[in-house]
Amino acid sequence: MDPCLCGSGKSAESCCRPCHEGKAPAATAEALMRSRYVAYALGLEPYLLTTWHATTRPTSLALDKEPKLRWLGLSIKRHELDGENRAIVEFIARYKIDGRAYRLHENSRFVREDGCWFYVDGDIKE
């Protein structure tokens, strides 16, 4: 079995793929963050838009534009609940564009509505 691209150590079949296929919602904000990272890596724009909260969701992400990003890895630094239905996930995602490496370090905010977690927004850390 292929390991999940999110870096959890689990197989893709037992980690992010059920979320992507609509078979199971992410159980935690961290699980949603991981599944969204993999969705970016695989170009799953519909999943990304569906899991983005309606109040902050863009109309499209243009994932097919050039130059293409190549995602290299995800590191979760912190997952913190703020009450029962809000959470913060701090992460670092590494990627390359045209052979040059970058990293995205963000504190992301999530909210749970009707039992489902949604990405709201985030603050990029320098």
Side-chain angles (χ1 to χ4, degrees), residues 17-18 20 22-23 26 28 31 34 37 40 45-46 49 51 59 65 69 73 76 89 100 108 120:
R17 190 170 297 153
H20 297 151
K23 294 178 180 174
T28 65
R34 289 181 179 282
Y37 168 82
Y40 273 106
E45 185 169 329
L49 293 173
T51 58
T59 55
K65 73 175 185 170
L69 277 75
I76 302 293
V89 178
R100 185 168 176 207
S108 296
V120 177

Side-chain angles (χ1 to χ4, degrees), residues 35-46:
S35 72
R36 286 177 55 82
Y37 168 82
V38 174
Y40 273 106
L42 298 176
L44 304 176
E45 185 169 329

Side-chain angles (χ1 to χ4, degrees), residues 4-121:
C4 191
L5 297 176
C6 78
S8 68
K10 300 176 185 176
S11 70
E13 292 78 16
S14 66
C15 193
C16 293
R17 190 170 297 153
C19 295
H20 297 151
E21 293 176 349
K23 294 178 180 174
T28 65
E30 179 181 341
L32 181 61
M33 178 64 241
R34 289 181 179 282
S35 72
R36 286 177 55 82
Y37 168 82
V38 174
Y40 273 106
L42 298 176
L44 304 176
E45 185 169 329
Y47 178 79
L48 291 164
L49 293 173
T50 299
T51 58
W52 205 310
H53 195 268
T55 60
T56 57
R57 180 186 308 136
T59 55
S60 72
L61 298 173
L63 296 180
D64 57 350
K65 73 175 185 170
E66 296 293 332
K68 295 249 186 206
L69 277 75
R70 186 167 61 95
W71 294 94
L72 304 173
L74 175 68
S75 175
I76 302 293
K77 298 297 182 188
R78 174 174 58 111
H79 174 223
E80 180 179 304
L81 289 173
D82 180 18
E84 190 175 324
N85 295 312
R86 295 189 180 283
I88 295 172
V89 178
E90 180 180 357
F91 71 91
I92 296 174
R94 296 177 300 106
Y95 62 96
K96 277 189 176 182
I97 300 175
D98 291 333
R100 185 168 176 207
Y102 298 90
R103 58 184 242 150
L104 171 64
H105 187 176
E106 182 176 301
N107 283 327
S108 296
R109 285 177 284 280
F110 294 83
V111 64
R112 181 168 44 193
E113 294 179 353
D114 298 323
C116 294
W117 285 100
F118 294 93
Y119 170 78
V120 177
D121 60 16

